[in-house]
Each structure stands twice: as structure tokens, then as C-alpha cells.
Amino acid sequence: MVSLFIMDFAPGGTNIPHHHEMEEEIYFILRGHGDMVAGGGADGNEGRYPAAAGDAFFIRLNATVGFYSGTKGGDHDLVLAARSRFPFPKKKE
């Protein structure tokens, strides 16, 4: 795993859809709702999907990933993200 972190989205916020050429990600919606982006990568296709607390998304290598908060006010949306490198490093024997 490269990183494990919680993203805090203000109402209407986003982490601007992007892609990682060498990393896979899992997004788990801890609180709130919005649109999860799981698209084709550098082709510009965002592929938005409704997401709510308890939903999890696996984002393959080089796919577009992001989140758009659907909250209008009040509590912020929270998303747990785990990222790993791919291909995985070879084990030393």
C-alpha cells in the first residue's frame, strides 16, 4: 500500500477527477453522498456513479477517479482512500 487517508469534502466539493498511471485505489464512502467518478482514464470520460455511505469502489490502474460531494450543507462528506502501486514489487527470496 502506498497510502491510506481520509478525504474531507465540503458541501459541493470535489477532488477534481484525475488518474494514476501506476496505482490502483479503493474509495469507501464513510459519510455523506455524491457522485463517484470511475472512468476510462486519460480519454476524458468521467463515468459518474451515485455513491452513498457504505459504498466501496475499486479503481483500476490508469482509470479516472474522483468524487463530487452531493451534500448541500451541514456535515462534510468523508471518503476513505487506499492506494497501492501496480505492478506490485517482486518479493525478495
Side-chain angles (χ1 to χ4, degrees):
M1 180 175 11
V2 174
S3 58
L4 176 67
F5 55 96
I6 294 177
M7 294 181 281
D8 182 331
F9 293 92
T14 183
N15 63 336
I16 305 172
H18 57 284
H19 70 281
H20 302 283
E21 293 182 10
M22 295 300 296
E23 294 151 343
E24 299 172 323
E25 285 190 286
I26 296 172
Y27 276 29
F28 180 70
I29 314 302
L30 296 170
R31 181 175 69 201
H33 68 281
D35 285 338
M36 181 66 205
V37 173
D43 65 4
N45 177 7
E46 283 194 352
R48 288 189 183 203
Y49 301 92
D55 291 346
F57 293 83
F58 171 77
I59 311 301
R60 67 169 171 76
L61 180 70
N62 203 28
T64 301
V65 61
F67 183 78
Y68 289 99
S69 170
T71 302
K72 301 296 182 203
D75 289 338
H76 289 196
D77 296 321
L78 297 178
V79 177
L80 176 69
R83 186 180 303 152
S84 66
R85 294 202 192 282
F86 189 87
F88 301 113
K90 293 182 181 182
K91 292 182 181 180
K92 294 181 182 179
E93 294 183 23

